[in-house]
Amino acid sequence: IQINATTDPNGKMLTLTELKLVSPVLSVIPVTGISADDENQKELYIGNLADINAIITPEDASNPYFTVSSSDNSIIRIITLKDNNGLPIYKAYAVGSGEATITITALETVGTDNPFEVSYKINVLKGADKSKLVSLLDDCKEINPNFYSEESYKVLSDAILNAQEVV
């Protein structure tokens, strides 16, 4: 913006004699595609959350943002949070067992005749996620009994047997 200002002869009034708006030329880089991040989880247990991420192409697109929806809110509910810059972060919250389709749409193309979107399925399971317990049990195979007293090793061995029954 360029402004030229003068005062009247009595010095009491500021007058705008010319107002010229100057806008820089911006080059818009349109979105040409979208894909779901390979690290998006495809299986959750009821009560768990998972990140939903997308890859917009090209990387330097002017509007690299997207929206997310679920085909069935009784299975997967989409939660929208904000990062430190106020930009959306999407999470899938598993609320019921079954399968829901997650659809990610490039924001630039929402409401157009040809939106860029991608979908993937999340399967929600009942029960508890036992994968960490299985991993810990695998680690227990390398435990050296010589590092324990006879009594403490017995307690550890009993705990391992109990955990194996759960799995």
Side-chain angles (χ1 to χ4, degrees), residues 30 38-39 49 84 108 124 139 142 167:
D38 289 337
E39 294 185 19
L49 285 170
N84 293 337
E108 179 178 295
V124 178
D139 293 345
E142 299 174 19
V167 176

Side-chain angles (χ1 to χ4, degrees), residues 28-158:
V28 175
I29 301 170
V31 171
T32 58
I34 188 169
S35 61
D37 191 319
D38 289 337
E39 294 185 19
N40 289 351
Q41 291 187 13
K42 310 295 188 295
E43 186 174 271
L44 289 172
Y45 285 87
I46 293 173
N48 288 358
L49 285 170
D51 292 334
I52 300 174
N53 293 305
I55 300 163
I56 301 285
T57 52
E59 282 184 24
D60 59 347
S62 299
N63 188 354
Y65 306 108
F66 56 91
T67 61
V68 178
S69 62
S70 170
S71 65
D72 191 335
N73 288 325
S74 68
I75 297 172
I76 293 285
R77 190 170 298 143
I78 303 302
I79 296 175
T80 306
L81 305 172
K82 291 187 179 184
D83 69 9
N84 293 337
N85 297 317
L87 300 174
I89 297 172
Y90 297 102
K91 303 272 185 185
Y93 178 50
V95 293
S97 64
E99 187 175 79
T101 301
I102 305 303
T103 302
I104 305 170
T105 307
L107 191 58
E108 179 178 295
T109 64
V110 170
T112 65
D113 291 337
N114 193 16
F116 288 113
E117 57 186 26
V118 63
S119 296
Y120 68 97
K121 295 183 185 303
I122 296 179
N123 187 32
V124 178
L125 306 170
K126 292 180 183 178
D129 183 0
K130 298 176 186 174
S131 60
K132 289 181 183 176
L133 181 58
V134 169
S135 176
L136 288 171
L137 287 172
D138 285 343
D139 293 345
C140 288
K141 293 175 183 173
E142 299 174 19
I143 290 177
N144 185 342
N146 296 326
F147 293 140
Y148 297 88
S149 68
E150 188 176 319
E151 183 181 320
S152 64
Y153 188 72
K154 168 91 171 91
V155 171
L156 177 62
S157 295
D158 289 344

